[in-house]
Amino acid sequence: MPILADDERPFLRRHLGSTPEDIAAMLESLGESSMESFLEGVIPRNIRLGTPLHIDATHTEESLLEALQDYGRRNSSARSLIGMGYYETITPAVILRNVLENPGWYTAYTPYQSEIAQGRLEALLNFQTVVMDLTAMAIANASLLDEATAAAEAMGMFFAIRGRPAGGVFFVAEDCHPQTIAVVQTRARALGIRVVIDDALRYEFSESVFGALLQYPTSDGAVRDYRSFCERAHRVQALVAVATDLLALTVLEAPGTWGADCAVGSAQRFGVPPGYGGPHAAFFATREQYKRVLPGRVIGVSVDNRGKPALRMALQTREQHIRREKATSNICTAQVLLAVMASFYAVYHGPEGLRAIAQRIHALATALAEGTRLLGHAVVHGEFFDTLRIIPREGSASALREAAAGERINLRHYPDGSLGVSLDERTDEAEIDRLLRVLGRGSEERGERSAPGSGQEYTGIMKRTTPYLEHPVFHLYRSETEMLRYIHRLETRDLALNVSMIPLGSCTMKLNGTTEMIPVTWREFSRIHPFAPPEQAQGYHQVFAELSRWLGEITGFPAVSLQPNAGAQGEYTGLLTIRAYHQARGEEKRTVCLIPSSAHGTNPASAVMAGLEVVIVGCDARGNVDLEDLKRHTELHRDRLAALMVTYPSTHGVFEESITEICRMVHTAGGQVYMDGANLNAQVGLCRPAEMGADVCHINLHKTFCIPHGGGGPGMGPIAVAEHLAPYLPGHPVVDTGGREAIGAVSAAPWGSANILLISWAYIALMGGEGLRRATELALLNANYMARRLENTFRVLYRGERGRVAHEFIIDLREFKESAGIDAEDVAKRLMDYGFHAPTVSFPVAGTMMIEPTESESRAELDRFCDALRTIREEIRAIEQGRADRMDNLLRNAPHTAEMVAADNWTHPYSREQAAFPAPWTRLAKFWPSVGRVNNAYGDRHVVCSCPPIETYLETQTQA
């Protein structure tokens, strides 16, 4: 296709927030005559990219959708009944349209500012309640990345609880899903844990075993009673994790009732399509006594400053930005959007509806089993839920495979020749008849199934007796009208990008173009099983190939792995490839990882998970890596140095002039350079990690390449590596992928959350190399423009050698603590009254705010945000000068809710108008926080992480 000229590329104009006239005005305000002269003051000349990116822009938005439709047609519509943790499901249309396809839900940010995230927090609290009820566990988190990594997190938690015993053994039942076993093994190798895979029913525990993992039902469908297994484990103080299926648990007894210490799994069956592997919300639930080591984020119930119930992220001491190298996990991304969908699915169906779906699937499986036996085949397990393992009668295996292919049905094929069939929500009686036709190939017998409804109730040894989902939220919204209003009510309690800019430094909250999002829900991409034969996913594989080539061109690296399904997962994976490289060269002793003190908190946590020893390198007064300290550490650890982790531009928002020297120093000492890609939005088209000297970087597709944040996930964190690291890229036990000496799987699916790769593919295809470069230029310009507008109001903490910032900058608020009793949190809460989400608070420097505008915000929006901050500074000045009360003031009482402002009793020394309408635009479109300042200390003292008591809930809903 021909390359499009600028006047043929309306998407580029729509992605970039400012007009050419605005850009010229911003340059003028900085004293620059051109973009090129501006860039010379921002990016060191020695790392500037000498040639344009070789990525052609050949698509309009319309032609791009047509191209993706063509790619979709190259994916097969065959029906996959493979199971192994992935099933087709039916997404209720009201959830599809109003959650998954709604920017009010998919563009929100992680709920650190809880007062403007109450809707999402309620949906996540519902999710936790679903998990806690169905697993019968005391506490659950707000989702993890996938089932396999959740199982690995369980192993890591048990390992920490038992004091990280040297030579410790973790038992894994041989009938767990193979991808789960593989991910656990990868994690265990780095931590020095010995994994034993064996038959759970015969395994004899020893004192060296600290934990165990079971699958319930097993990967091949068996439902087993594990009570005695748990008793044997507990006799040697081993803890037991159970990977399970939420839908199965509506009819099977909950793991928490029969001895499990932890339950993990995927909520994919709750209305989230398989999407060739993801994204899906994993769950993690455990006992009360382990809540302080529970990985991930937990939503808790607290109160606001008026005593009203309010939700927040609880137990945040585990957040890796705080615990760093002491963290037991590097998980800082959840799968929030997918957990929200799953929670609404449970609300939509309620306990009776979920049980009816499960019973119907089991009834159909029972009918299939009866027909299968009549045809002369053996069904291996007498106790099952939805999955049968079938031993074909002698001589019929190849005929059955041919018959299945003829019916366009994918079955699971075991090494011993047996077949697996997993039924799901889309299965009906006609599909059972098709399966019996397949199984009847070559037989004179006619496959019969039992009458509909026969054997509907599961009556086996593990029949559930424990109640679940008794809370009113799972019973109130049965009509679509009520469901629609409930979803909308929660949406309006959240501030997302459809309300105003979210200028979060380090998080790159940019436009997620509608055209980029549309293909995600197309059935040609959303309904494919990740273990379907590769020839049935040719459209996907073309997207993978092109996206990998483009990411390689952007970073300068020749090889890319798309498997890591979060940024922190990419960090971990990149470090594992470095370790594997050293080990392959006989340098196992290289285990030291140097990390600047300014690094993202996940960096040291990822290094520890990769089996590395963290050594902190200091920063100088300008926020740059202290070269003298780095030199001292590279010399001190020369024989043991594995890697340096460096973020570029720095976490302080500066292009460090010495980056090439830093890389050279590390290489001279025998180490490798890992570049954190969190700030890649400042590099694309202008410089490349590989050309600076890095050996590997991860790429936050949910930041730079437009996958929406989703309120804390989904995300993708692929890694790009130099040629010498390519052989170690992660593999997979089910699908052939990765390097020839692969480190093993790091995610459950071979290509991570494949479904959302379509978004980044679409963004790059629409922008082209030139468009990507212009986006980076504008991101840099916007940040410098805002820094200039604010520099006389607040101190800008760090700048580069030429006085410029990068794509983000830090303003210092620490002086106001003494002068006015105001801190960064007070400013963050007051911004809500102006209709804005706060920038990143107190990271990487306590008492500061890090601001990143991105390229997709208009100059008008940048000005509006700067005006809000400048007005807030005047509010602080009023306190400093005694014109406002030091304790009872606009900032200390923020945010102000409609209920507060409309109350009959108003005792504050400032007006209601000052509280609620501090700027002209708030009169045109006012976003009202739904609760006042949340009391975090109260929530820490009273940890409640499931839906509140019925009386409290009904009162809250009545008030709403």
Side-chain angles (χ1 to χ4, degrees):
M1 293 181 67
I3 299 173
L4 300 179
D6 274 5
D7 59 359
E8 299 173 299
R9 297 164 64 194
F11 178 80
L12 177 60
R13 295 198 303 273
R14 294 193 182 102
H15 180 80
L16 302 180
S18 292
T19 65
E21 293 75 21
D22 287 331
I23 293 171
M26 288 191 286
L27 286 169
E28 184 179 0
S29 74
L30 294 169
E32 300 288 358
S33 58
S34 68
M35 183 66 78
E36 185 56 37
S37 66
F38 162 70
L39 292 174
E40 287 178 2
V42 177
I43 304 176
R45 183 178 295 274
N46 67 326
I47 66 168
R48 281 289 299 274
L49 190 61
T51 58
L53 293 175
H54 297 295
I55 303 172
D56 295 335
T58 58
H59 285 296
T60 64
E61 291 174 79
E62 182 180 11
S63 70
L64 177 123
L65 292 177
E66 290 173 353
L68 273 178
Q69 285 173 340
D70 180 58
Y71 284 20
R73 284 190 285 270
R74 299 178 203 178
N75 294 329
S76 170
S77 59
R79 179 80 160 100
S80 289
L81 301 175
I82 299 169
M84 299 172 69
Y86 299 95
Y87 302 84
E88 286 203 45
T89 182
I90 298 172
T91 308
V94 67
I95 297 174
L96 177 70
R97 174 63 59 88
N98 296 289
V99 180
L100 181 57
E101 297 178 343
N102 181 356
W105 285 99
Y106 67 67
T107 68
Y109 180 59
T110 300
Y112 288 117
Q113 298 295 331
S114 53
E115 294 84 357
I116 51 176
Q118 288 295 298
R120 197 160 5 106
L121 288 166
E122 181 170 324
L124 291 175
L125 194 74
N126 292 344
F127 176 81
Q128 290 176 182
T129 303
V130 170
V131 173
M132 292 163 64
D133 279 8
L134 289 176
T135 62
M137 289 290 176
I139 190 167
N141 67 21
S143 77
L144 291 178
L145 302 177
D146 59 38
E147 180 171 331
T149 52
E153 292 291 338
M155 176 182 69
M157 185 182 80
F158 291 170
F159 193 50
I161 290 169
R162 291 293 304 275
R164 301 176 70 89
V169 172
F170 187 69
F171 170 81
V172 178
E174 62 187 4
D175 45 23
C176 290
H177 294 319
Q179 69 272 19
T180 299
I181 295 173
V183 171
V184 167
Q185 288 174 318
T186 302
R187 184 79 60 91
R189 278 193 293 272
L191 295 175
I193 296 170
R194 186 163 67 93
V195 173
V196 172
I197 302 169
D198 206 340
D199 183 342
L201 299 183
R202 297 185 306 189
Y203 184 68
E204 295 294 332
F205 283 89
S206 67
E207 297 291 335
S208 62
V209 181
F210 68 86
L213 175 68
L214 303 169
Q215 191 89 44
Y216 173 75
T218 65
S219 186
D220 64 351
V223 174
R224 292 185 175 137
D225 184 345
Y226 288 115
R227 290 179 178 88
S228 64
F229 178 92
C230 292
E231 291 170 2
R232 287 184 284 123
H234 291 155
R235 279 199 289 268
V236 296
Q237 283 76 55
L239 302 173
V240 178
V242 176
T244 189
D245 176 346
L246 291 181
L247 190 61
L249 292 184
T250 64
V251 297
L252 300 181
E253 193 54 272
T257 66
W258 46 255
D261 302 289
C262 172
V264 302
S266 172
Q268 182 261 311
R269 299 189 84 161
F270 277 31
V272 181
Y276 207 41
H280 312 129
F283 62 85
F284 191 112
T286 190
R287 299 190 181 280
E288 174 77 14
Q289 61 263 43
Y290 305 135
K291 65 186 178 186
R292 298 289 170 181
V293 289
L294 177 67
R297 292 164 174 162
V298 179
I299 308 308
V301 181
S302 187
V303 296
D304 71 2
N305 54 3
R306 294 165 65 87
K308 180 180 178 179
L311 308 179
R312 65 171 196 127
M313 285 172 56
L315 303 176
Q316 291 189 48
T317 54
R318 280 180 329 284
E319 281 290 303
Q320 276 62 56
H321 287 79
I322 299 170
R323 297 196 65 179
R324 300 173 72 82
E325 65 268 25
K326 294 187 175 72
T328 56
S329 165
N330 73 340
I331 291 290
C332 73
T333 301
Q335 296 280 25
V336 169
L337 182 64
L338 299 315
V340 166
M341 288 180 65
S343 77
F344 279 132
Y345 181 90
V347 169
Y348 180 87
H349 286 291
E352 299 85 359
L354 294 176
R355 189 181 300 112
I357 293 169
Q359 289 173 341
R360 178 176 166 275
I361 292 171
H362 177 67
L364 290 169
T366 300
L368 178 62
E370 292 174 1
T372 298
R373 294 187 185 99
L374 286 175
L375 289 167
H377 310 295
V379 177
V380 175
H381 304 298
E383 289 276 346
F384 54 82
F385 166 59
D386 62 3
T387 296
L388 306 181
R389 184 168 183 171
I390 299 168
I391 301 176
R393 66 179 179 278
E394 189 173 353
S396 68
S398 60
L400 298 188
R401 283 195 292 270
E402 289 178 10
E407 290 283 345
R408 300 181 62 75
I409 295 175
N410 296 323
L411 303 177
R412 183 175 178 182
H413 298 280
Y414 294 91
D416 65 359
S418 58
L419 301 174
V421 183
S422 292
L423 308 185
D424 57 38
E425 188 180 3
R426 290 190 179 275
T427 301
D428 55 17
E429 294 167 23
E431 185 162 84
I432 299 301
D433 290 337
R434 288 176 63 205
L435 286 167
L436 290 174
R437 283 199 302 272
V438 168
L439 293 167
R441 177 66 65 91
S443 171
E444 295 180 0
E445 297 292 333
R446 182 172 178 271
E448 298 286 348
R449 59 176 171 84
S450 54
S454 174
Q456 189 169 16
E457 288 279 350
Y458 173 81
T459 58
I461 54 172
M462 300 303 288
K463 181 178 179 179
R464 182 162 189 138
T465 58
T466 311
Y468 54 88
L469 304 188
E470 295 181 304
H471 194 274
V473 72
F474 304 109
H475 298 267
L476 289 174
Y477 309 109
R478 286 294 173 268
S479 73
E480 181 164 330
T481 304
E482 290 299 322
M483 187 71 189
L484 177 66
R485 290 171 182 162
Y486 180 58
I487 291 172
H488 181 69
R489 184 159 68 245
L490 296 195
E491 178 195 342
T492 60
R493 296 176 185 172
D494 276 23
L495 190 154
L497 277 173
N498 62 341
V499 174
S500 64
M501 74 183 293
I502 302 179
L504 283 150
S506 186
C507 290
T508 316
M509 298 290 290
K510 66 203 293 182
L511 172 70
N512 314 121
T514 306
T515 298
E516 299 158 14
M517 299 297 297
I518 286 173
V520 168
T521 56
W522 289 349
R523 63 169 293 163
E524 294 86 351
F525 291 105
S526 65
R527 288 175 60 177
I528 300 181
H529 193 287
F531 305 147
E535 61 271 17
Q536 294 183 9
Q538 290 305 299
Y540 257 123
H541 285 274
Q542 186 160 349
V543 169
F544 298 160
E546 292 174 357
L547 180 59
S548 295
R549 178 171 58 80
W550 293 338
L551 295 177
E553 172 69 10
I554 288 164
T555 60
F557 291 114
V560 171
S561 170
L562 300 173
Q563 190 173 128
N565 54 2
Q569 191 85 325
E571 294 174 17
Y572 164 68
T573 307
L575 293 173
L576 288 183
T577 64
I578 288 173
R579 279 210 71 183
Y581 167 73
H582 288 312
Q583 289 168 349
R585 298 168 70 238
E587 295 194 312
E588 293 87 351
K589 62 184 179 181
R590 291 194 175 274
T591 57
V592 169
C593 185
L594 303 180
I595 301 178
S597 59
S598 63
H600 291 122
T602 53
N603 283 183
S606 295
V608 169
M609 280 178 50
L612 300 174
E613 175 189 342
V614 173
V615 173
I616 302 298
V617 177
C619 292
D620 62 22
R622 300 183 68 119
N624 300 322
V625 174
D626 186 324
L627 294 183
E628 286 301 314
D629 197 37
L630 177 62
K631 181 179 179 181
R632 181 174 67 85
H633 282 300
T634 54
E635 291 176 352
L636 180 64
H637 302 290
R638 175 175 294 270
D639 294 335
R640 299 179 56 232
L641 181 60
L644 167 77
M645 298 187 80
V646 61
T647 302
Y648 200 77
S650 75
T651 310
H652 291 139
V654 174
F655 280 95
E656 297 188 39
E657 298 281 336
S658 57
I659 184 61
T660 56
E661 183 181 356
I662 289 170
C663 294
R664 180 189 57 77
M665 290 170 64
V666 173
H667 287 149
T668 300
Q672 298 283 286
V673 176
Y674 177 93
M675 185 168 285
D676 186 307
N679 293 341
L680 197 62
N681 207 50
Q683 292 190 43
V684 179
L686 298 177
C687 50
R688 285 191 179 111
E691 294 180 8
M692 297 175 211
D695 300 287
V696 54
C697 75
H698 86 267
I699 305 161
N700 292 94
L701 296 184
H702 49 290
K703 294 182 181 181
T704 304
F705 297 102
C706 290
I707 292 173
H709 199 279
M716 277 291 279
I719 61 169
V721 301
E723 187 173 357
H724 63 279
L725 296 179
Y728 311 104
L729 290 176
H732 197 273
V734 182
V735 178
D736 185 21
T737 187
R740 64 177 182 273
E741 299 176 62
I743 56 172
V746 296
S747 301
W751 295 280
S753 296
N755 193 211
I756 56 173
L757 293 176
L758 300 170
I759 302 168
S760 298
W761 181 94
Y763 171 66
I764 297 173
L766 286 166
M767 295 288 279
E770 174 66 15
L772 292 170
R773 182 182 63 81
R774 286 167 60 180
T776 307
E777 292 172 350
L778 189 52
L780 297 170
L781 178 61
N782 285 350
N784 279 275
Y785 172 73
M786 292 184 75
R788 173 60 59 89
R789 284 211 66 201
L790 292 171
E791 65 185 5
N792 294 325
T793 306
F794 304 96
R795 184 164 75 98
V796 175
L797 202 53
Y798 299 110
R799 296 182 188 268
E801 295 288 338
R802 301 169 186 81
R804 300 293 189 205
V805 299
H807 65 308
E808 61 191 10
F809 62 98
I810 298 173
I811 58 172
D812 194 350
L813 307 177
R814 290 172 291 187
E815 64 181 284
F816 306 130
K817 187 68 175 176
E818 182 176 347
S819 68
I822 295 299
D823 58 23
E825 183 181 8
D826 296 320
V827 176
K829 305 309 180 187
R830 181 58 173 155
L831 275 168
M832 297 175 191
D833 291 330
Y834 287 78
F836 285 111
H837 195 294
T840 302
V841 177
S842 291
F843 175 80
V845 181
T848 67
M849 283 185 170
M850 183 161 57
I851 301 170
E852 180 183 355
T854 81
E855 72 276 7
S856 57
E857 296 297 343
S858 67
R859 181 189 174 196
E861 186 75 349
L862 306 185
D863 285 339
R864 200 162 66 92
F865 185 78
C866 290
D867 289 345
L869 279 176
R870 290 164 73 168
T871 306
I872 290 171
R873 175 63 183 98
E874 292 307 310
E875 294 172 351
I876 297 172
R877 199 181 313 280
I879 302 170
E880 292 171 328
Q881 296 175 352
R883 292 181 288 113
D885 189 272
R886 194 175 175 92
M887 298 302 294
D888 188 0
N889 58 62
L890 289 162
L891 282 89
R892 291 286 294 268
N893 294 330
H896 298 84
T897 66
E899 183 180 358
M900 293 166 63
V901 173
D904 293 336
N905 185 28
W906 181 264
T907 61
H908 304 298
Y910 51 88
S911 71
R912 300 172 195 258
E913 182 178 33
Q914 287 176 298
F917 301 104
W921 62 81
T922 58
R923 295 181 178 279
L924 297 175
K926 173 67 178 176
F927 177 86
W928 291 100
S930 56
V931 297
R933 184 83 65 98
V934 174
N935 188 329
N936 291 325
Y938 179 92
D940 284 338
R941 291 193 305 269
H942 307 85
V943 180
V944 178
C945 298
S946 61
C947 290
I950 292 174
E951 299 78 12
T952 304
Y953 180 84
L954 292 176
E955 178 185 348
T956 303
Q957 297 306 301
T958 301
Q959 292 171 352

